[in-house]
């Protein structure tokens, strides 16, 4: 019987004076923000495992993610290769505006071709050590981003029953509605190909993670690899809310809601599919849209996957 393990991991901020990433001290503390806050999330399988210009591809996707006057509050990335991880951590925009998982070391990238990585806006999330400073300064104003800050609690990776050594990267934040509880932000890349049984078991474990004592719910987002008919309604069977279905209804057309195989020629009778999802428990989706990748060359996309941008209410 598989027994998932939880491995505590740091979340780091870039220290410009010391010119290095430094782990944040995380500990339980009362929440500091108001109810009804909206958070924006972008999830993208950047396919950085590809040997063809993978660092260049990841930078193009990062440009697309950060394009516009308002960058997202939460960024979930899947298929991040080791050197892509380093290029993201070296990017000035990431260093100045985001807190990052996996900045202290690359232990979760060793022995696997790629892993997940999470970035959180330092204008919307705050470590407990900065709470007093936020109270005296800009807390509650959101640094011009239109919302107040959420207090971080802890970070861990939970192993999954995966034949590819995949896991769930979890960031706990304090639940504003229920003191002492947390909301969970889960970045996932479920098993690929003909692995419906494993995916079902993985979602069972993720659902249980959102429903255990001390947790009020949260969001699961990433590459669900929903390639088989049984995958289409799998999350609803566990009582979870599929943000796309909630806001757009269940779409069955060739390109409707598809996040993989869009705008490219597919072989072997394959069709575009909605492999990537944003799923919630105890939160309310406000809007969701698909972000199309550009092309590296005449017919080579940045990634096989589109991105998903979703806004939800806490």
């Amino acid at each position: 019987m598989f027994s998932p393990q939880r491995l505590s991991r740091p979340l780091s901020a870039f220290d410009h004076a010391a010119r290095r990433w430094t782990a944040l001290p995380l500990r339980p503390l009362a929440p500091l923000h108001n109810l009804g806050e909206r958070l924006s999330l972008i999830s993208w399988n950047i396919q950085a495992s590809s040997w063809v210009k993978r660092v260049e591809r990841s930078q193009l996707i990062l440009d697309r993610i950060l394009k516009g006057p308002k960058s997202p509050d939460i960024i979930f990335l899947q298929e991040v290769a080791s050197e892509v991880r380093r290029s993201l951590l070296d990017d000035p925009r990431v260093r100045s505006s985001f807190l990052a998982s996996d900045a202290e070391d690359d232990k979760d990238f060793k022995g696997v071709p790629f892993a997940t990585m999470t970035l959180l806006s330092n204008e919307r999330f705050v470590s407990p050590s900065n709470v007093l400073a936020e109270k005296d300064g800009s807390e509650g104003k959101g640094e011009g981003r239109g919302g107040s800050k959420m207090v971080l609690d802890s970070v861990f990776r939970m192993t999954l029953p995966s034949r590819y050594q995949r896991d769930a990267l979890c960031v706990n934040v304090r639940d504003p509605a229920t003191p002492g509880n947390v909301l969970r932000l889960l970045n996932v890349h479920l098993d690929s190909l003909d692995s419906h049984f494993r995916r079902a078991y993985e979602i069972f474990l993720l659902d249980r993670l959102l429903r255990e004592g001390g947790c009020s719910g949260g969001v699961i987002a990433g590459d669900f690899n929903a390639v088989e008919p049984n995958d289409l309604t799998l999350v609803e069977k566990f009582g979870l809310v599929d943000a796309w279905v909630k806001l757009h209804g269940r779409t069955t057309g060739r390109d409707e809601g598809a996040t993989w195989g869009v705008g490219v020629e597919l072989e072997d009778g394959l069709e575009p599919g909605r492999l990537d999802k944003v799923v919630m428990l105890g939160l309310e989706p406000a809007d969701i849209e698909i972000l199309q990748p550009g092309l590296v060359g005449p017919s080579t996309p940045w990634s096989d996957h589109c991105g998903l941008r979703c806004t939800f209410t806490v």
Side-chain angles (χ1 to χ4, degrees):
M1 182 67 178
F2 177 80
S3 179
Q5 304 296 312
R6 300 187 192 187
L7 310 173
S8 180
R9 301 296 291 133
L11 193 70
S12 304
F14 189 74
D15 186 333
H16 289 272
R19 299 176 63 84
R20 62 184 175 87
W21 288 91
T22 304
L24 298 171
L26 300 179
R27 55 188 171 82
L29 199 67
L32 289 181
H33 81 300
N34 299 322
L35 298 176
E37 286 292 331
R38 282 194 174 186
L39 292 173
S40 60
L41 176 150
I42 289 182
S43 176
W44 207 318
N45 181 331
I46 62 176
Q47 201 194 4
S49 60
S50 169
W51 290 103
V52 182
K53 297 183 178 180
R54 55 185 176 186
V55 172
E56 291 88 341
R57 288 178 185 223
S58 66
Q59 286 297 321
L60 289 170
I61 291 176
L62 184 63
D63 291 344
R64 176 73 172 90
I65 289 173
L66 299 181
K67 183 179 180 180
K70 187 175 180 180
S71 59
D73 302 317
I74 305 162
I75 300 175
F76 284 178
L77 301 176
Q78 302 89 44
E79 287 202 29
V80 180
S82 184
E83 63 262 45
V84 172
R85 163 192 167 271
R86 176 46 54 192
S87 72
L88 292 169
L89 294 175
D90 288 344
D91 191 287
R93 297 167 297 178
V94 174
R95 289 184 168 188
S96 63
S97 301
F98 291 92
L99 311 174
S101 70
D102 302 284
E104 293 295 299
D105 57 61
D106 64 349
K107 64 181 294 185
D108 294 311
F109 290 75
K110 293 181 177 179
V112 292
F114 50 74
T116 53
M117 190 171 178
T118 293
L119 305 175
L120 301 175
S121 166
N122 58 20
E123 293 185 355
R124 297 305 307 274
F125 294 88
V126 61
S127 70
S129 62
N130 292 332
V131 166
L132 293 179
E134 297 292 346
K135 280 186 175 180
D136 295 334
S138 61
E139 191 280 317
K141 300 177 183 177
E143 300 281 355
R145 290 287 298 278
S148 51
K149 298 195 177 185
M150 298 192 73
V151 179
L152 296 162
D153 180 273
S154 56
V155 182
F156 64 85
R157 286 186 183 269
M158 186 181 80
T159 57
L160 294 174
S162 167
R163 60 184 175 184
Y164 304 111
Q165 300 182 58
R166 294 175 187 170
D167 57 23
L169 175 53
C170 175
V171 176
N172 287 327
V173 296
R174 306 305 293 174
D175 180 7
T178 311
N181 278 17
V182 297
L183 293 169
R184 289 188 160 142
L185 310 176
L186 292 165
N187 183 356
V188 302
H189 186 186
L190 304 187
D191 267 37
S192 310
L193 306 174
D194 55 343
S195 299
H196 172 74
F197 174 78
R198 289 181 184 271
R199 288 190 292 274
Y201 193 14
E202 289 166 352
I203 292 178
F204 163 75
L205 294 173
L206 295 170
D207 173 73
R208 192 166 68 175
L209 194 59
L210 292 185
R211 297 180 189 274
E212 71 179 3
C215 179
S216 303
V219 58
I220 309 168
D223 184 354
F224 281 62
N225 271 307
V227 296
E228 299 182 32
N230 289 336
D231 292 315
L232 298 180
T233 59
L234 184 56
V235 296
E236 289 96 334
K237 290 178 181 177
F238 288 95
L240 300 170
V241 174
D242 184 323
W244 183 271
V245 174
K246 176 71 177 292
L247 297 171
H248 295 280
R250 189 167 302 284
T251 52
T252 58
R254 179 178 173 84
D255 291 327
E256 292 179 309
T259 61
W260 177 85
V262 179
V264 296
E265 291 188 13
L266 300 175
E267 300 178 350
D268 301 323
L270 295 175
E271 294 187 355
R274 195 166 67 87
L275 273 61
D276 306 83
K277 298 183 180 183
V278 179
V279 174
M280 301 178 187
L281 178 69
L283 305 174
E284 187 67 27
D287 60 69
I288 188 169
E289 64 175 323
I290 295 171
L291 303 178
Q292 300 281 354
L295 298 177
V296 176
S299 60
T300 305
W302 301 341
S303 169
D304 283 349
H305 290 255
C306 300
L308 280 174
R309 185 201 308 272
C310 181
T311 302
F312 58 92
T313 301
V314 177

